[in-house]
Amino acid sequence: DGGITQSPKYLFRKEGQNVTLSCEQNLNHDAMYWYRQDPGQGLRLIYYSQIVNDFQKGDIAEGYSVSREKKESFPLTVTSAQKNPTAFYLCASSIADLYGYTFGSGTRLTVV
Amino acid sequence: GDSVTQMEGPVTLSEEAFLTINCTYTATGYPSLFWYVQYPGEGLQLLLKATKADDKGSNKGFEATYRKETTSFHLEKGSVQVSDSAVYFCVYNTNAGKSTFGDGTTLTVKP
C-alpha cells in the first residue's frame, strides 16, 4: 500500500546536536511538507517542496534545514540553532494543493 | 492575510449527541476546504473536502458544506460515538503551494 513513512517515531537529542528526521513516500506525489505541532496547538509550516531539488521556507524555518534530492524523500534536519526543538513533527505530501494532504504518523523529538 | 478560525475547544458531548464544529476563513481567490482528524499520538487523516462553493463533503457520517457567502465550512455529525473523540482541523488550500490550518478543536465523546 502507498503511504508516507516517518522515522524514527521517537527521537532524543542532546543540547548542541543536529538530528535528522526521515520522511519517505511511495505515492508519487510531487509536493512534500514539514510541519511542527506543539501540545494543544495547530500545525506550523517549516519547509515545503513542490519539485525535486527545490524547496521553500515556511513560517518557522529558522534552525531547520531540508533537502529534496529524490522525489520520494524529504529529510528534515533540526540544527543546534533551533532553541526549542521539543515538538511533534509531521511530514505530508500531496499530488496537488486541491486534493489534500497525506500525512505520516509523526516523529516526537525531545531534547534531553 | 489569509486565516482560518475554528470554534474553540474542548468540546465534550455524550454519545449520540449532535456535533457542530464551526469554521470560518478569510482568503483571497477560490480555496479548497478540508477537514482533517487527528487521533492521539498519530498524524492527521483527511476526513472530507470541498473544492467549490455549495459543494458538500461527507465521510463516516460527517458532513460540511462550502458556504462562499458566509465564508464558512462547519463540520457536522448527527450522532457522535466515543470513537469520534479526536482533534479536528479545518484547513484551506489555495493554488499557492501551502495550506492554512486552523488551531484544531478537541472533541471528547463520553459514553
Side-chain angles (χ1 to χ4, degrees), chain A residues 2-3 14-15 23-24 34-35 37 45-46 63 67 71 77-78 85 90 93 99-100 102 104 110:
Chain A
K14 293 182 179 179
E15 296 280 352
C23 178
E24 303 277 336
W34 275 105
Y35 286 90
Q37 186 177 30
L45 181 64
I46 304 172
S67 63
K71 188 175 186 177
T77 297
V78 184
L90 287 161
S93 71
Y99 291 90
T102 300
T110 304

Side-chain angles (χ1 to χ4, degrees), chain A:
Chain A
D1 287 340
I4 295 187
T5 301
Q6 289 188 241
S7 62
K9 191 171 179 66
Y10 299 95
L11 186 58
F12 298 90
R13 192 194 91 168
K14 293 182 179 179
E15 296 280 352
Q17 274 186 341
N18 292 354
V19 291
T20 297
L21 284 59
S22 171
C23 178
E24 303 277 336
Q25 55 101 355
N26 61 2
L27 298 165
N28 201 33
H29 286 175
D30 288 315
M32 297 187 74
Y33 309 82
W34 275 105
Y35 286 90
R36 170 178 172 143
Q37 186 177 30
D38 292 285
Q41 297 187 29
L43 277 66
R44 293 184 289 170
L45 181 64
I46 304 172
Y47 270 98
Y48 66 105
S49 168
Q50 293 182 290
I51 196 169
V52 174
N53 292 323
D54 188 43
F55 48 82
Q56 286 76 42
K57 292 182 179 180
D59 301 318
I60 56 164
E62 185 175 350
Y64 300 97
S65 66
V66 293
S67 63
R68 187 83 187 277
E69 297 176 0
K70 299 186 300 181
K71 188 175 186 177
E72 301 79 18
S73 179
F74 192 41
L76 174 73
T77 297
V78 184
T79 74
S80 57
Q82 171 50 239
K83 297 307 178 188
N84 185 22
T86 295
F88 190 50
Y89 290 87
L90 287 161
C91 181
S93 71
S94 69
I95 193 165
D97 289 340
L98 303 183
Y99 291 90
Y101 292 178
T102 300
F103 280 86
S105 56
T107 293
R108 189 166 300 279
L109 174 63
T110 304
V111 173
V112 295

